[in-house]
């Protein structure tokens, strides 16, 4: 009797903890605002996108069931150079491309059951207006200032080149890089004028640097504030620690304007637009404004004053922007700052680095939804495969194994057996009470899952739910109700009532993971109230005795044939791209080759080109004349060692300006280490090579 009293007291305390937890956040007058990093409207949705959006939707659904008032906001990122480049290639406008992919993402998210309260566009008037307001506030407060900088200019295209129109060499690690980021090396952000050996991506011409006035955000002035802010920021350690690493170094002021027609005009300067990483996050505020106007709410409740509850779900690759640049900008303009940043780990495909150009990509529609695969299965895999902050690997084989073993054999098996045996033997829910042990197990699981979700451990939460399902399978197997049907109907009724209560709790817990299938099971349990509006406490509420509809199998296995076909599609894509990358050397006639003039030359002097780690300026003798040549051999040859060397030069190339220096010819070299070609025997400088 004493043991029963202790168990009863434990159960009452556990239920009280859950009720207290569910009431804790609604007492806060501010809604919980959850956002996702904005998809860029320059290509279709893939699994890398869903690595962020599905966990965010899971979190929103769970917190709502817990009793939270949650606003779920997102939208498409429409500005920046890549969209302009794509529009030029297609002969259309950036707006039309943006609208096309905006619709694509909106439709795809709905198919994946990622349900935003509002999904806006950064090119819509609200974001333009909010961006100008926020930037103007920064200007008024002295956090934005003008500065003349060196800007890449293409003499052939006759225009200044924004970052994505450029490619060259990273000044930090010396790897190939694009104009705004070292995307193939150290990953560092690059300011305008930083990239070495800038080349125009439009025409391939070597760009030169010219002076132009731009505007800078005084990020360096926020270093101490950011250090304190990050010490209080909630979210995942991978985001916070990465940002602290940046802040603990010297922060540099950030150029926030670009020479581009497409984008939000910088206040008072129509020839400039704000950098896309200024207006994109401001879109979060603008989308909240649009949502608030639609439903009659006040957007300032989410974004103004202290102690906001803004929670950003992002990919790890944009941590710097959300944890350093964005909060500094908000603080400087007098807005509230984010409460939490939750960063997902990166994605691999078949143990290879995710790469669209190499074919290591799974497209959400083409490769998955269009193959009639359930959105719920992909949601489950993305949430359960690994910790949210760790690198996730996707392969069709792993996907099949986890769905079949965990979803179908564990969860699906328990729920179907419970419904089938109850309906077959009793026509539905039998009379009686649920045993205390079952209620305690449910209560313990709800409390555990709640704690894990609130700490952004989504894999841990799903594992805890599956643990309850596995416990249910063990319970039903050990009690063998199919045998009790012949010997003890009362005992069987007790077992089945217990199992149905477990099934009800599991369905509520699994709905944020697999909403479509949870709704189907909810109906089979005879529940009329929408599952989305049913709190977790319902998992402990007694099922009404009475008939249930005949159950159907909700979870079906993925067969080997389907997996083989899907894997084959991936392999064919990879192979096709690999074949397309094999160099195809064009054949030329002897007449064409005769047009190339090659002569021997002697190097008279060599010196490094300022601001370039790769280039040398050479003076070479061709016997009857001296030529100036700029050559990319600095990484392999000491300038002093080159003086007096005989080399081979192509002498009839058109003159070109490289780093602002005229080059009139090309030194020939072999291999990656630039081994210089020279005559076998001594010949006079200027001797023609035949």
């Amino acid at each position: 009797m004493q043991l029963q009293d202790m168990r009863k007291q434990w159960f009452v305390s556990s239920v009280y903890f859950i009720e207290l937890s569910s009431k804790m956040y609604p007492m806060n007058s501010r809604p919980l605002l959850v956002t996702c990093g904005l998809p860029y409207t320059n290509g279709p949705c893939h699994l890398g996108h869903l690595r962020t959006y599905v966990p965010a939707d899971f979190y929103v659904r769970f917190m709502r069931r817990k009793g939270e008032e949650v606003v779920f906001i997102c939208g498409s990122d429409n500005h920046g150079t890549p969209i302009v480049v794509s529009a030029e290639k297609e002969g259309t406008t950036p707006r039309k491309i943006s609208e096309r992919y905006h619709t694509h993402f909106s439709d795809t998210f709905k198919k994946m059951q990622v349900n935003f309260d509002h999904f806006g566009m950064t090119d819509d008037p609200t974001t333009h207006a909010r961006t100008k307001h926020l930037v103007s506030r920064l200007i008024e407060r002295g956090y934005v200032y003008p500065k003349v900088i060196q800007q890449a200019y293409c003499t052939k295209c006759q225009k200044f080149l924004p970052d994505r129109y450029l490619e060259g060499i990273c000044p930090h690690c010396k790897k190939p890089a694009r104009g705004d980021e070292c995307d193939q090396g150290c990953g560092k952000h690059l300011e305008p004028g930083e990239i070495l050996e800038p080349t125009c991506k439009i025409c391939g011409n070597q760009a030169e640097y010219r002076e132009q006035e731009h505007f800078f955000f005084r990020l360096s002035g926020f270093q101490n504030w950011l250090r304190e802010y990050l010490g209080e920021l909630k979210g995942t350690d991978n985001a916070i620690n990465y940002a602290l690493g940046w802040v603990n170094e010297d922060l540099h002021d950030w150029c926030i304007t670009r020479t581009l027609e497409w984008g939000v005009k910088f206040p008072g300067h129509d020839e400039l637009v704000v950098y896309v990483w200024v207006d994109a996050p401001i879109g979060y505020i603008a989308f909240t404004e649009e949502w608030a106007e639609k439903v009659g709410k006040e957007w300032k409740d989410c974004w103004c004053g202290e102690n906001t509850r803004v929670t950003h779900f992002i990919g790890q690759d944009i941590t710097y922007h959300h944890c350093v640049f964005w909060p500094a900008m908000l603080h400087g303009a007098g807005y509230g700052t984010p409460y939490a940043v939750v960063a997902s780990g990166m994605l691999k495909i078949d143990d290879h680095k995710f790469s669209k150009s190499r074919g290591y990509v799974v497209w959400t529609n083409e490769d998955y939804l269009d193959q009639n695969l359930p959105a719920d299965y992909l949601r489950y895999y993305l949430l359960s495969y690994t910790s949210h902050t760790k690198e996730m690997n996707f392969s069709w084989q792993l996907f099949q194994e986890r769905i079949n073993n965990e979803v179908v054999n564990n969860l699906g098996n328990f729920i179907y057996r419970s419904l089938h045996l109850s309906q077959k033997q009793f026509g539905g829910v039998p009379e009686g009470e649920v045993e205390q042990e079952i209620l305690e197990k449910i209560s313990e699981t709800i409390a555990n899952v709640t704690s894990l979700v609130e700490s952004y451990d989504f894999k841990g939460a799903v594992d805890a739910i599956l643990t309850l399902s596995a416990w249910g399978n063990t319970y039903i197997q050990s009690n063998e109700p199919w045998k009790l049907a012949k010997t003890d109907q009362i005992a069987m009724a007790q077992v089945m009532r217990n199992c149905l209560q477990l099934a009800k709790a599991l369905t509520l817990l699994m709905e944020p993971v697999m909403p479509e299938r949870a709704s189907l099971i909810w109906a089979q349990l005879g529940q009329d109230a929408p599952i989305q509006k049913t709190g977790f406490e319902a998992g402990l509420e007694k099922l009404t005795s009475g008939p249930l509809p005949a159950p159907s199998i909700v979870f079906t296995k993925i067969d080997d044939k389907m997996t083989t076909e899907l894997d084959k599609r991936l392999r064919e894509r990879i192979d096709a791209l690999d074949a397309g990358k094999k160099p195809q050397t064009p054949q030329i006639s002897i007449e064409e080759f005769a047009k190339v003039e090659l002569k021997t030359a002697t190097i008279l002097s060599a010196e490094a080109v300022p601001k370039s780690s790769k280039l040398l300026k050479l003076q070479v003798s061709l016997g009857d004349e001296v030529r100036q040549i700029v050559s990319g051999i600095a990484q392999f040859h000491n300038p002093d060692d080159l003086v007096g060397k005989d080399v081979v030069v192509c002498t009839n190339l058109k003159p070109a300006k490289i780093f602002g220096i005229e080059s009139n010819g090309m030194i020939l070299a072999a291999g990656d280490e630039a081994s210089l070609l020279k005559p076998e025997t001594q010949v006079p400088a200027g001797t023609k090579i035949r």
Side-chain angles (χ1 to χ4, degrees):
M1 188 70 179
Q2 187 177 7
L3 178 60
Q4 286 181 339
D5 289 341
M6 288 175 65
R7 291 177 66 185
K8 184 176 181 181
Q9 184 178 7
W10 180 92
F11 172 67
V12 171
S13 298
S14 180
V15 173
Y16 173 74
F17 166 78
I18 296 167
E19 291 177 347
L20 181 64
S21 176
S22 67
K23 293 174 183 176
M24 197 176 297
Y25 282 106
M27 290 173 64
N28 191 315
S29 60
R30 291 178 179 269
L32 172 62
L33 179 74
V34 178
T35 80
C36 285
L38 312 184
Y40 196 56
T41 50
N42 198 36
C45 183
H46 51 67
L47 259 57
H49 291 109
L50 299 182
R51 181 82 166 100
T52 297
Y53 302 113
V54 167
D57 182 80
F58 165 77
Y59 179 74
V60 167
R61 288 173 182 270
F62 193 94
M63 299 305 278
R64 282 175 174 159
R65 173 151 296 121
K66 191 172 154 294
E68 287 270 16
E69 179 189 358
V70 186
V71 181
F72 194 22
I73 295 295
C74 193
S76 58
D77 182 4
N78 312 132
H79 296 141
T81 317
I83 292 173
V84 178
V85 174
S86 295
E88 289 173 351
K89 288 180 179 177
E90 291 188 22
T92 185
T93 65
R95 176 71 191 193
K96 286 185 177 179
I97 283 187
S98 296
E99 288 173 344
R100 181 203 313 163
Y101 284 113
H102 172 83
T103 301
H104 163 82
F105 276 105
S106 180
D107 292 345
T108 302
F109 291 148
K110 289 171 184 173
K111 292 176 186 175
M112 286 300 304
Q113 298 296 305
V114 176
N115 296 329
F116 295 109
D117 292 311
H118 184 73
F119 190 73
M121 292 183 70
T122 58
D123 190 50
D124 281 351
T126 311
T127 301
H128 279 253
R130 182 55 50 192
T131 300
K132 290 177 180 177
H133 176 268
L134 194 147
V135 171
S136 295
R137 290 280 292 268
L138 291 172
I139 294 170
E140 292 166 6
R141 296 178 175 209
Y143 294 123
V144 170
Y145 62 91
K147 180 182 176 182
V148 175
I149 63 171
Q150 294 291 313
Q151 179 81 359
Y153 184 86
C154 180
T155 55
K156 186 174 181 180
C157 297
Q158 295 187 335
K159 65 179 181 179
F160 284 100
L161 301 173
D163 40 43
R164 291 296 183 94
Y165 275 95
L166 281 174
E167 55 189 7
I169 302 298
C170 173
H172 305 288
C173 69
K174 307 302 184 289
K175 297 284 187 181
R178 65 188 191 207
D180 64 338
E181 181 185 0
C182 180
D183 56 328
Q184 297 186 43
C186 62
K188 288 188 176 181
H189 170 79
L190 301 180
E191 286 291 310
E194 277 195 299
I195 195 167
L196 305 178
E197 303 174 34
T199 302
C200 176
K201 291 181 69 173
I202 303 170
C203 66
N205 188 47
Q206 194 81 25
E208 60 182 45
Y209 282 113
R210 294 186 180 181
E211 289 187 344
Q212 189 184 33
E213 184 180 68
H214 279 269
F215 289 82
F216 281 72
F217 173 55
R218 206 180 298 277
L219 185 61
S220 58
F222 292 85
Q223 188 152 3
N224 291 333
W225 178 84
L226 279 167
R227 194 176 286 116
E228 293 179 9
Y229 167 75
L230 291 170
E232 299 295 326
L233 182 66
K234 308 300 181 186
T236 53
D237 289 342
N238 62 331
I240 297 166
N241 292 339
Y242 179 85
L244 279 170
W246 276 92
V247 172
N248 287 332
E249 298 180 4
D250 288 336
L251 288 179
H252 300 287
D253 294 350
W254 197 339
C255 182
I256 61 168
T257 50
R258 296 293 186 268
T259 310
L260 201 64
E261 293 182 5
W262 171 244
V264 179
K265 299 298 183 183
F266 188 80
H269 295 266
D270 286 344
E271 76 280 6
L272 297 175
V273 299
V274 298
Y275 182 38
V276 66
W277 271 111
V278 175
D279 70 86
I282 292 174
Y284 296 138
I285 304 176
F287 303 154
T288 310
E289 291 182 72
E290 291 168 349
W291 162 81
E293 184 177 357
K294 187 169 56 178
V295 299
K297 297 280 188 177
E298 178 53 70
W299 70 269
K300 292 181 180 179
D301 290 344
C302 300
W303 285 101
C304 297
E306 297 181 356
N307 303 317
T308 73
R309 303 185 65 211
V310 175
T311 299
H312 294 307
F313 276 73
I314 62 169
Q316 191 171 341
D317 56 331
I318 54 175
T319 297
Y320 178 88
H321 307 85
H322 283 77
C323 292
V324 179
F325 184 59
W326 174 229
M329 214 167 57
L330 286 169
H331 182 67
Y335 287 72
T337 50
Y339 167 80
V341 176
V342 182
S344 60
M346 303 306 286
L347 176 71
K348 294 172 71 176
I349 302 294
D350 263 4
D351 280 321
H352 289 81
K353 184 179 179 181
F354 178 90
S355 172
K356 291 180 284 186
S357 62
R358 294 175 55 218
Y360 287 101
V361 57
V362 174
W363 301 107
T364 305
N365 288 280
E366 177 186 344
D367 296 330
Y368 192 87
L369 294 172
D370 292 350
Q371 307 305 316
N372 295 317
L373 287 164
D376 280 356
Y377 283 6
L378 184 54
R379 288 175 63 101
Y380 176 86
Y381 187 92
L382 292 169
L383 286 162
S384 67
Y385 179 82
T386 189
S387 166
H388 185 69
T389 62
K390 304 296 182 185
E391 189 173 62
M392 189 190 84
N393 182 46
F394 181 89
S395 78
W396 290 111
Q397 186 65 41
L398 287 172
F399 176 74
Q400 179 192 27
E401 290 173 1
R402 294 185 74 98
I403 295 304
N404 290 354
N405 294 335
E406 298 168 16
V407 175
V408 180
N409 291 346
N410 181 352
L411 180 67
N413 180 58
F414 172 72
I415 289 177
Y416 180 73
R417 285 207 295 178
S418 299
L419 286 165
H420 175 70
L421 287 170
S422 296
Q423 205 277 336
K424 179 181 178 181
Q425 194 66 30
F426 302 104
V429 183
E431 296 284 348
E433 299 297 325
V434 179
E435 289 185 311
Q436 195 79 351
E437 177 189 19
I438 302 299
L439 295 175
E440 289 172 5
K441 195 70 180 176
I442 292 170
S443 177
E444 176 187 350
T445 300
I446 294 173
N448 185 28
V449 173
T450 300
S451 176
L452 290 164
V453 173
E454 288 179 343
S455 60
Y456 315 110
D457 183 358
F458 307 129
K459 173 180 168 49
V462 176
D463 287 348
I465 298 168
L466 266 289
T467 298
L468 179 62
S469 177
W471 189 87
N473 275 311
T474 301
Y475 174 83
I476 199 171
Q477 196 67 31
S478 60
N479 282 279
E480 299 181 318
W482 48 89
K483 291 185 178 180
L484 293 175
K486 301 176 182 177
T487 60
D488 192 339
Q489 285 281 315
I490 295 176
M492 182 187 181
Q494 182 64 69
V495 171
M496 297 322 301
R497 172 165 277 284
N498 290 343
C499 288
L500 289 174
Q501 195 70 39
L502 284 168
K504 183 183 181 185
L506 282 167
T507 305
L508 285 166
L509 286 165
M510 284 303 296
E511 190 274 339
V513 184
M514 296 187 284
E516 286 184 321
R517 271 144 183 75
S519 294
L520 294 175
I521 298 167
W522 195 242
Q524 292 186 29
L525 284 165
Q527 303 301 298
D528 295 326
I531 189 172
Q532 296 84 357
K533 297 182 179 180
T534 305
F536 285 120
E537 66 277 2
L540 297 164
E541 292 173 358
K542 175 182 175 181
L543 280 163
T544 303
S545 302
L548 290 177
S552 59
I553 295 174
V554 172
F555 300 105
T556 57
K557 288 187 175 183
I558 298 172
D559 61 35
D560 293 341
K561 182 180 178 181
M562 169 67 82
T563 302
T564 300
E565 283 299 315
L566 293 168
D567 193 63
K568 181 182 176 184
R569 286 169 60 91
L570 177 64
R571 303 291 155 209
E572 288 175 347
R573 177 186 296 135
I574 294 167
D575 291 344
L577 287 169
D578 282 345
K581 288 179 181 177
K582 291 177 181 177
Q584 301 293 323
T585 304
Q587 292 183 329
I588 62 174
S589 67
I590 189 65
E591 290 79 11
E592 289 174 298
F593 178 73
K595 295 177 182 179
V596 180
E597 184 178 77
L598 301 175
K599 291 183 178 181
T600 62
T602 303
I603 298 176
L604 302 177
S605 68
E607 59 181 278
V609 172
K611 295 186 178 181
S612 174
S613 62
K614 188 176 179 182
L615 299 178
L616 292 179
K617 183 172 72 171
L618 309 172
Q619 302 294 330
V620 303
S621 171
L622 291 168
D624 57 351
E625 65 172 313
V626 174
R627 294 270 190 103
Q628 177 173 279
I629 296 175
V630 178
S631 181
I633 59 175
Q635 292 174 296
F636 309 101
H637 298 281
N638 187 310
D640 294 338
D641 295 339
L642 291 173
V643 177
K645 281 187 176 291
D646 291 333
V647 292
V648 175
V649 176
C650 179
T651 58
N652 63 335
L653 286 178
K654 290 181 180 179
K657 276 198 172 182
I658 304 175
F659 259 57
I661 303 170
E662 184 168 315
S663 180
N664 200 347
M666 182 175 68
I667 304 286
L668 299 189
D672 294 335
E673 296 185 357
S675 175
L676 298 175
L677 303 188
K678 62 181 181 180
E680 182 181 11
T681 60
Q682 189 76 32
V683 295
T687 300
K688 191 170 183 179
I689 295 173
R690 304 180 186 278

